[in-house]
């Protein structure tokens, strides 16, 4: 034990000894210094405290210098030099990344030199990764791992290489000499730790703190090389702290201020480089400021000198409104109040440790977060509450933060109500197992208390609560102690939330519209934050939804286009032409995240470039997979609101709607197959849609771009009673019968419609009447009738003899042979002063529907159509004598795509966009 003690004195004792017994210069050094001073015309008195020299060295000083004037005591010097305080000081803090290489250290020196402040105090961390390397040394020595010696050599090599690249001449020699001495001391101490197989906290702190000592010395030498006087400060001589529980320390500001005054009296300088992270106890035992200690050091020192500003230099442009790794649209905040920064730090945002803010708040010293790699960026200022911000929702909610890997503990029972001490017993048990409570929520009835703790601590918490309340659980006074795993916290932070109505409502509305379920809520009366607990799997989507709704004041929709055929490609072109206008004028940001056809698909993480979507689909596509396409939209993007737009007529695609809606993906489609398919599937789909905040829009299924569905819903929702819906629902058949006049043959008109693109490639698809029947069944079901497609009698316009034709071309070749039949039917109508029209009818009063060829008088609205117009007449209790008419183009890719586009904008309006 004697040899061990001799080999490694207590670090605090060694440190205190160095403070009491300073190393004196040798005779040769004094002579050199005297000759240098004389040659430069300066008095040696100004540079040497002769009274402090040992007696044997005084003989080397010329006798004319040994006068009463030269013999000035330390106390006299300290009394004559005082530490100025106030706005003349600016404090900078540079982290390990900023000090990571010799080039970066020189860059730091340049920044300090460019600062025009009268006085500068610079706090530095150890070089990047060095603190971890130093802790590794201690851990290896404690584990009796001989490789700690090699690891120490690596630490020395790292700093030696950096110093040789950064310094030169006498400065380099002095630094390396000091470092050699430090390494020798560290070897002795690590050897002692190795032998004992144990390390105390003070020993560990002493070893780890050397990284800051070396980086501060290197930076001070680098600044001196530019010709600027500079001193470096070992903050263990100045900062005094009182260790507390929970791995924290409390600064002793009064004692630290006294020691800083004394230090400055000995080493007055306008530029001071100080070590971050390290400090001392009142007994001069080395310690650290724990987590984010360098930031804390800068704040403490800033408060001691009453600095004008504390600048924290890092590798980001400032404080983001949300984690940019989770929200790509997160922006840099120009200002934050102290309280807002405090709240964000608590909830895991990479801002500052909450304790860093405490010292500067007292003197209203602003903290500025800046990027050393982007000096042009102004950064984020943390200060008192800014007074120049509007009180709207977007201004009052500053930012969002999340904490993952939590569990929610719910203690519930009727026996808790009105019983004093229940909460104390709950949280006393939690304290006993050393768990950290992140959030607490209690119902006003006192029937239940729930709180969030880290997932890794919940097992111990649950066990402690079951032990503590064993009797209450057995007696039924408590019904359960429940643990809900895999939770996350989302916090909205803003100082102005307390004075702005509607903040909570807007937050929960945004979460609901993103199909997010909230498990627990907490909000203090100060209303600096609103905290919600959610499933961890929903956390990122919730964060994006809230951020998009509040901070960006913008509705962002992630869109997946299925079917880039005629309607799909027309829609894509419309989106391309209008996207910028919507974003600028209506704050609607539409991002097409993927396009899929039947064979290939193209996926994007940030949004497809719509100016070249065709080329991308041809050159960078992958095999089509509808499940993967939907998964990409729902999981692999940065937007909370997602919509799939089905532009096909495919039954298999429509069969996926239910699953998509259940996953929180909105669906918009002109595809009639889902709403006209089996009744039970339709009812199941509509029930799900009504029970959730997920929307299903299908306006274009009936009237292309005409507002047929919305008109019908408006009538029903306002209490009108639908009696009958009758209309020409097919633009194709409207065109054919509007032009089947005079002497024209039916086959010529059909051929003309086919040539103009009004019909399907096989005109029988239109002439069969099935498409009209699907529209009739959709309107019948919207009106409350429970009908199947098979319940609708349909008159097919395809002669029975031609229904078996193998192709549309064969059908067209044989169609002229039936022209005389159509001519005869037309003539009968003309003789009666009527025209032929192919119509669908929903007879709500009699609960039936039909599709047929009817004759109408020439003055009837249905006889007044032209081109491919559709017309629909609603006969209702209110519109009985004069039906409500909706008329307009009912066919063509442009109007159908426009109807789909209108549904997309309606969805955006429902999700919060201006209407």
């Amino acid at each position: 034990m004697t040899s061990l003690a001799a080999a490694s004195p207590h670090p605090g004792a060694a440190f205190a000894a160095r403070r009491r017994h300073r190393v004196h210069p040798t005779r040769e050094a004094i002579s050199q210094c005297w000759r240098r001073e004389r040659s430069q015309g300066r008095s040696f008195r100004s540079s040497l405290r002769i009274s402090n020299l040992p007696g044997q060295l005084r003989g080397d000083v010329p006798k004319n210098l040994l006068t009463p004037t030269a013999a000035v005591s330390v106390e006299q010097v300290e009394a004559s030099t005082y530490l100025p305080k106030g706005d003349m000081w600016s404090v900078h803090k540079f982290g390990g990344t900023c000090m990571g290489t010799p080039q970066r250290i020189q860059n730091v020196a340049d920044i300090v030199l460019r600062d025009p402040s009268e006085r500068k105090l610079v706090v530095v961390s150890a070089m990047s990764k060095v603190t971890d390397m130093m802790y590794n040394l201690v851990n290896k020595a404690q584990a009796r791992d001989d490789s700690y010696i090699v690891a120490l050599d690596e630490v020395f090599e790292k700093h030696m290489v950096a110093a040789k690249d950064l310094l030169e001449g006498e400065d380099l020699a002095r630094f390396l000499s000091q470092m050699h001495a430090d390494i020798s001391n560290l070897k002795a101490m690590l050897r002692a730790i190795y032998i004992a197989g144990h390390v105390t906290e003070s020993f560990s702190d002493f070893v780890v703190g050397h990284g800051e000592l070396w980086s501060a010395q290197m930076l001070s030498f680098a600044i001196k090389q530019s010709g600027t006087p500079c001193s470096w400060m070992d903050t263990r001589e100045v900062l005094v702290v009182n260790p507390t529980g929970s791995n924290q320390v409390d600064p002793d500001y009064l004692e630290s201020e006294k020691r800083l005054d004394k230090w400055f009296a000995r080493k007055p300088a306008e530029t001071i480089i100080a070590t971050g992270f390290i400090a001392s106890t009142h007994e001069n035992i080395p310690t650290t400021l724990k987590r984010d200690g360098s930031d804390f050091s800068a704040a403490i020192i800033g408060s001691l000198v009453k600095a004008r500003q504390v600048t924290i230099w890092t590798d980001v442009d400032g404080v983001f409104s949300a984690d940019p790794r989770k929200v790509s649209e997160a922006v840099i905040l120009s200002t934050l109040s102290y309280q807002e920064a405090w709240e964000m730090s608590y909830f895991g945002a990479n801002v500052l440790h909450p304790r860093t803010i405490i010292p500067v708040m007292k003197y209203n010293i602003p903290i500025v977060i800046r990027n050393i790699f982007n000096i042009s960026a102004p950064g984020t200022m943390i200060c008192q509450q800014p007074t120049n911000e509007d009180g709207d929702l977007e201004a009052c909610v500053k930012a969002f933060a999340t904490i993952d890997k939590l569990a929610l503990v719910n203690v519930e029972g009727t026996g808790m109500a009105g019983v004093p001490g229940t909460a104390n017993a709950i949280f006393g048990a939690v304290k006993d197992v050393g768990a950290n409570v992140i959030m607490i929520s209690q119902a006003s009835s006192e029937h239940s208390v729930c709180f969030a703790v880290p997932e890794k601590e919940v097992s111990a918490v649950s066990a402690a609560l079951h032990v503590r309340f064993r009797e209450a659980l057995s007696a039924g006074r408590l019904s359960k102690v429940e643990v809900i795993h895999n939770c996350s916290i989302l916090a909205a932070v803003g100082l102005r939330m307390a004075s702005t109505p509607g903040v909570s409502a807007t937050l929960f509305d945004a979460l609901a519209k993103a199909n997010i379920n909230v498990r627990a809520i907490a909000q203090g009366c100060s209303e600096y934050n609103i905290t919600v607990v959610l499933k961890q799997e929903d956390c990122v989507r919730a964060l994006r939804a809230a951020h998009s709704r509040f901070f960006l004041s913008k509705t962002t929709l992630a869109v997946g286009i299925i079917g880039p055929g005629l309607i799909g490609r027309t829609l894509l072109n419309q989106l391309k032409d209008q996207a910028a206008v919507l974003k600028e004028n209506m704050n609607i940001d539409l991002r097409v995240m993927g396009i899929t056809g039947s064979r290939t698909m193209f996926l994007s993480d940030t949004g497809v470039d719509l100016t070249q979507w065709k080329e991308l689909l041809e050159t960078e596509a992958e095999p089509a997979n509808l499940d993967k396409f939907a998964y990409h939209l729902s999981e692999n993007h940065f937007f909370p609101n997602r919509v799939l737009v089905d532009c096909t007529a495919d039954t298999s695609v429509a069969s996926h709607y239910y699953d998509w809606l259940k996953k929180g993906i909105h669906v918009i489609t002109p595809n009639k197959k889902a709403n006209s398919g089996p009744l039970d599937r339709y009812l199941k789909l509509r029930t799900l849609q009504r029970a959730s905040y997920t929307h299903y829009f299908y306006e274009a299924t009936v009237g292309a771009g005409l507002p047929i569905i919305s008109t019908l819903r408006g009538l029903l929702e306002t209490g009108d009673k639908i009696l009958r819906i009758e209309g020409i629902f097919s633009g194709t058949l409207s065109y054919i019968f509007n032009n089947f006049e005079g002497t024209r043959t039916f086959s010529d008109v059909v051929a003309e419609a086919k040539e103009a693109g009004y019909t399907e490639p096989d005109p029988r698809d239109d002439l069969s009447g099935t498409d009209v029947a699907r529209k009739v069944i959709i309107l019948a079901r919207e009106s409350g009738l429970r009908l199947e497609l098979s319940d609708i009698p349909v008159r097919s316009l395809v002669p029975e003899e031609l229904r078996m034709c193998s192709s549309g071309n064969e059908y067209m070749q044989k169609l002229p042979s039936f022209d005389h039949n159509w001519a005869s039917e037309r003539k009968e109508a003309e003789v009666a002063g009527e025209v032929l029209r192919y119509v669908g009818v929903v007879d709500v009063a009699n609960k039936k529907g039909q599709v047929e060829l009817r004759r109408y008088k020439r003055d009837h609205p249905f006889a007044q159509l032209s081109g491919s117009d559709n017309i629909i007449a609603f006969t209702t209790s209110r519109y009985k004598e004069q039906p409500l008419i909706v008329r307009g183009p009912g066919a063509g890719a442009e109007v159908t795509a426009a109807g789909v586009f209108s549904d997309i904008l309606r969805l955006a309006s429902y999700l919060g966009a201006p209407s």
Side-chain angles (χ1 to χ4, degrees):
M1 293 298 296
T2 305
S3 61
L4 175 61
S8 60
H10 191 284
F15 177 57
R18 285 200 303 275
R19 294 188 68 233
R20 291 193 301 269
H21 306 292
R22 303 189 181 280
V23 177
H24 297 292
T26 63
R27 290 184 174 89
E28 181 183 359
I30 292 175
S31 300
Q32 289 177 352
C33 187
W34 177 75
R35 287 192 295 269
R36 184 167 59 249
E37 298 289 326
R38 290 292 299 270
S39 66
Q40 294 175 0
R42 296 201 301 266
S43 170
F44 191 50
R45 294 187 182 94
S46 63
S47 59
L48 181 65
R49 296 189 187 125
I50 299 171
S51 60
N52 287 346
L53 295 178
Q56 67 269 27
L57 295 183
R58 295 190 185 186
D60 295 309
V61 183
K63 289 185 171 49
N64 65 318
L65 293 179
L66 293 174
T67 64
T69 304
V72 181
S73 69
V74 173
E75 290 74 14
Q76 288 174 306
V77 172
E78 292 178 351
S80 62
T81 307
Y82 69 96
L83 173 67
K85 297 174 184 177
D87 287 351
M88 75 282 293
W89 286 101
S90 69
V91 175
H92 297 264
K93 180 265 174 177
F94 295 93
T97 303
C98 303
M99 302 288 291
T101 66
Q103 294 76 21
R104 291 181 182 178
I105 295 174
Q106 184 58 55
N107 185 36
V108 168
D110 295 339
I111 291 173
V112 173
L113 291 169
R114 284 196 298 267
D115 183 352
S117 302
E118 180 181 344
R119 295 180 179 274
K120 291 161 280 193
L121 208 158
V122 182
V123 178
V124 295
S125 299
M127 293 180 70
S128 179
K129 304 263 189 327
V130 166
T131 299
D132 290 339
M133 294 172 75
M134 301 302 283
Y135 273 120
N136 187 43
L137 289 176
V138 175
N139 293 336
K140 285 188 173 185
Q142 184 180 13
R144 292 175 174 164
D145 181 348
D146 289 332
S147 64
Y148 80 86
I149 299 174
V150 176
L152 182 58
D153 291 339
E154 291 172 355
V155 171
F156 175 75
E157 180 71 16
K158 180 180 178 75
H159 288 83
M160 182 183 69
V161 170
K164 287 183 175 179
D165 197 12
L166 184 68
L167 308 176
E168 57 186 19
E170 184 180 344
D171 291 336
L172 175 60
R174 291 172 64 188
F175 174 77
L176 292 179
S177 176
Q178 180 60 53
M179 191 172 180
H180 273 295
D182 292 340
I183 292 293
S184 296
N185 290 336
L186 288 174
K187 282 182 178 179
M189 182 164 287
L190 290 168
R191 177 63 180 169
I193 295 171
Y194 177 91
I195 294 171
H198 173 73
V199 62
T200 63
E201 183 178 0
S202 59
F203 270 55
S204 177
D205 289 345
F206 177 78
V207 172
V208 171
H210 278 75
E212 278 71 20
L213 294 173
W214 296 328
S215 63
Q217 292 174 55
M218 276 196 287
L219 179 59
S220 67
F221 282 128
I223 291 175
K224 285 179 181 178
Q225 285 185 162
S226 68
T228 300
C230 177
S231 295
W232 80 273
M233 176 196 295
D234 180 348
T235 49
R236 294 176 300 184
E237 299 180 20
V238 172
L239 297 187
V240 179
V241 297
N242 296 309
T244 63
S246 304
N247 197 34
Q248 291 185 350
V249 294
D250 289 334
D252 184 332
Y253 291 98
L254 185 61
E255 179 62 25
S256 297
E257 187 173 19
K258 291 178 180 178
R259 293 195 181 189
L260 178 60
D261 289 340
K262 291 182 178 180
W263 184 94
F264 188 83
R266 297 193 306 271
K267 300 180 180 179
E270 294 182 353
T271 301
I272 300 172
I273 311 301
T275 56
F277 185 55
I278 57 177
S280 292
T281 65
H282 281 276
E283 296 76 26
N284 293 324
I285 297 174
T287 188
T288 67
L289 299 181
K290 314 307 175 189
R291 179 189 166 198
D292 293 322
S294 293
D295 289 350
F296 199 13
S297 298
I300 296 169
I301 292 174
S303 71
L304 294 178
V305 299
K306 313 295 189 296
R308 181 185 74 258
Q309 176 177 295
V310 174
T311 304
I312 307 291
W313 292 89
T314 180
D315 56 358
V316 294
D317 286 346
V319 180
F320 282 90
S321 54
D323 187 339
R325 296 167 298 182
K326 298 177 180 178
V327 181
S328 59
E329 276 75 16
V331 298
I332 298 295
L333 303 173
S334 59
T335 60
L336 276 175
S337 70
Y338 294 124
Q339 291 84 353
E340 288 166 339
W342 199 331
E343 294 283 351
M344 289 181 67
S345 299
Y346 178 79
F347 286 105
N350 188 20
V351 184
L352 295 169
H353 192 279
R355 292 172 63 83
T356 302
I357 300 167
I358 298 173
V360 296
M361 283 182 65
K362 181 178 180 181
Y363 300 104
N364 294 328
I365 300 170
I367 297 178
V368 180
I369 312 294
R370 294 191 62 186
N371 189 351
I372 193 169
F373 304 115
N374 184 17
I375 296 179
S376 62
T380 300
M381 177 175 286
I382 300 171
C383 54
Q384 281 187 306
Q385 180 180 357
T387 58
N388 60 341
E389 295 181 353
D390 298 328
D392 59 3
L393 287 177
E394 289 74 23
C396 73
V397 179
K398 276 297 188 70
F400 296 88
T402 59
I403 304 177
D404 294 327
K405 298 180 180 177
L406 301 178
L408 195 63
V409 181
N410 181 41
V411 182
E412 186 175 311
T414 55
M416 293 172 58
V419 179
T422 302
N424 180 61
I426 292 172
F427 295 110
V430 175
K431 178 185 176 184
D432 289 344
V433 297
N436 180 29
V437 176
I438 308 295
M439 185 213 78
I440 303 170
S441 179
Q442 179 178 2
S444 59
S445 65
E446 298 183 350
H447 177 70
S448 67
V449 175
C450 69
F451 54 93
V453 297
E455 186 79 58
K456 63 184 179 181
E457 298 174 357
V458 73
S459 296
V461 169
S462 177
L465 290 174
H466 277 90
V467 170
R468 176 62 181 81
F469 294 103
R470 183 186 297 112
E471 292 183 6
L473 288 166
S474 299
R477 295 194 302 275
L478 288 187
S479 57
K480 61 181 176 181
V481 175
E482 178 186 17
V483 175
I484 303 171
H485 296 280
N486 300 319
C487 294
S488 292
I489 277 179
L490 168 67
V493 175
L495 193 62
R496 295 177 178 270
M497 293 197 299
S499 58
T500 307
V503 176
S504 297
T506 305
L507 173 63
F508 294 119
D509 182 61
L511 296 178
K513 287 177 177 177
N515 207 33
I516 305 293
N517 184 40
V518 175
R519 303 303 301 264
I521 305 164
Q523 178 178 5
C525 63
S526 64
E527 212 171 331
Y528 291 155
N529 81 74
I530 301 172
T531 305
V532 296
V533 179
L534 337 126
K535 292 181 181 178
Q536 187 163 312
E537 63 191 60
D538 293 335
C539 186
V540 173
R541 188 153 49 90
L543 174 62
R544 294 167 190 164
H547 186 273
S548 176
R549 176 63 186 89
F550 269 100
F551 196 85
L552 298 181
S553 184
K554 185 182 296 178
T555 299
T556 304
L557 267 178
V559 183
I561 303 293
I562 303 171
L566 182 59
I567 295 173
R569 67 172 174 264
T570 304
L571 174 62
L572 284 165
N573 290 332
Q574 291 178 356
L575 290 171
K576 177 194 69 176
D577 295 338
Q578 197 66 10
V581 176
L582 291 172
K583 194 170 184 179
E584 178 69 24
N585 296 341
M586 298 183 67
N587 279 333
I588 299 174
D589 186 5
L590 300 179
R591 305 282 186 93
V592 176
M593 309 302 294
I595 304 169
T596 183
S598 58
R599 293 187 298 275
T600 61
M601 66 181 181
F602 176 75
L603 306 177
S604 171
D605 289 328
T606 56
V608 178
D609 182 354
L610 295 183
T611 63
Q612 50 181 335
W613 69 266
K614 292 181 182 177
E615 293 82 352
L616 293 170
L617 196 57
E618 291 174 359
T619 60
E620 300 185 27
E622 57 184 281
N625 182 317
L626 201 54
D627 290 335
K628 182 178 179 181
F629 186 81
Y631 179 84
H632 170 77
L633 191 75
S634 63
E635 302 295 337
N636 295 348
H637 63 87
F638 288 95
F639 311 108
N641 302 309
R642 302 144 304 162
V643 57
L644 279 166
V645 181
D646 174 20
C647 296
T648 73
D650 195 322
T651 302
S652 65
V653 175
S655 68
H656 288 80
Y657 292 176
Y658 183 86
D659 290 335
W660 293 341
L661 290 169
K662 200 169 183 180
K663 292 176 181 177
I665 304 174
H666 309 287
V667 176
I668 293 173
T669 184
N671 185 346
K672 294 176 277 291
K673 298 299 174 61
N675 285 10
S676 62
L679 179 62
D680 59 338
R681 291 187 183 179
Y682 166 79
L683 294 174
K684 183 180 178 183
L685 193 62
R686 295 289 283 122
T687 300
L688 173 64
Q689 187 261 322
R690 291 190 183 103
S692 68
Y693 277 88
T694 310
H695 298 284
Y696 173 42
F697 294 151
Y698 43 87
E699 184 71 76
T701 57
V702 175
L706 297 179
I708 307 301
I709 300 290
S710 56
T711 299
L712 174 57
R713 286 187 175 176
L715 293 170
L716 292 169
E717 289 168 1
T718 56
D720 204 351
K721 183 178 181 181
I722 307 298
L723 303 176
R724 181 184 180 89
I725 304 171
E726 184 175 355
I728 297 173
F729 295 103
S730 169
T732 300
L733 297 175
S734 177
Y735 180 88
I736 289 173
F737 284 101
N738 287 339
N739 288 279
F740 183 44
E741 296 178 334
T743 60
R744 299 193 67 182
T745 65
F746 188 76
S747 61
D748 283 344
V749 175
V750 173
E752 180 181 272
K754 185 175 186 295
E755 183 68 24
Y758 287 120
T759 74
E760 296 294 332
D762 187 341
R764 288 176 296 178
D765 293 341
D766 298 293
L767 295 169
S768 68
T770 302
D771 186 65
V772 176
R774 289 187 181 280
K775 295 177 180 179
V776 168
I777 201 69
I778 289 172
L779 291 176
R781 290 173 175 177
E782 290 291 314
S783 301
L785 302 183
R786 298 198 169 191
L787 299 176
E788 294 283 6
L789 187 60
S790 58
D791 296 330
I792 307 297
V794 179
R795 176 182 171 179
S796 174
L797 303 181
V798 180
E800 191 169 347
E801 297 88 338
L802 301 183
R803 293 174 189 174
M804 299 305 294
C805 290
S806 60
S807 67
N809 289 335
E810 183 185 352
Y811 165 77
M812 291 301 296
Q813 290 172 3
K814 294 181 178 181
L815 183 59
S817 61
F818 294 86
D819 281 343
H820 65 281
N821 296 337
W822 284 109
S824 176
E825 195 161 353
R826 179 179 62 190
K827 186 174 182 180
E828 289 179 13
E830 289 175 347
V831 170
E834 297 173 337
V835 296
L836 298 174
R837 293 294 183 262
Y838 194 74
V839 299
V841 179
V842 179
D843 188 348
V844 179
N846 294 306
K847 299 182 180 180
K848 65 180 183 179
Q850 62 189 61
V851 177
E852 58 187 354
L853 184 66
R854 286 190 171 185
R855 289 162 36 175
Y856 293 90
K857 293 294 184 181
R858 288 191 175 276
D859 60 352
H860 192 280
F862 286 17
Q864 308 300 314
L865 297 184
S866 61
S868 61
D869 281 4
N870 282 6
I871 186 169
I872 295 89
F874 294 93
T875 303
T876 72
S877 296
R878 295 175 187 159
Y879 296 95
K880 186 181 293 185
E881 302 299 327
Q882 184 74 27
L884 175 64
I885 301 291
V886 178
R887 172 182 171 175
E894 287 290 338
V895 293
T896 303
V900 175
F901 198 169
S902 178
D903 272 349
I904 294 174
L905 296 182
R906 184 153 65 105
L907 173 61
S909 178
Y910 279 30
L911 296 175
S915 57

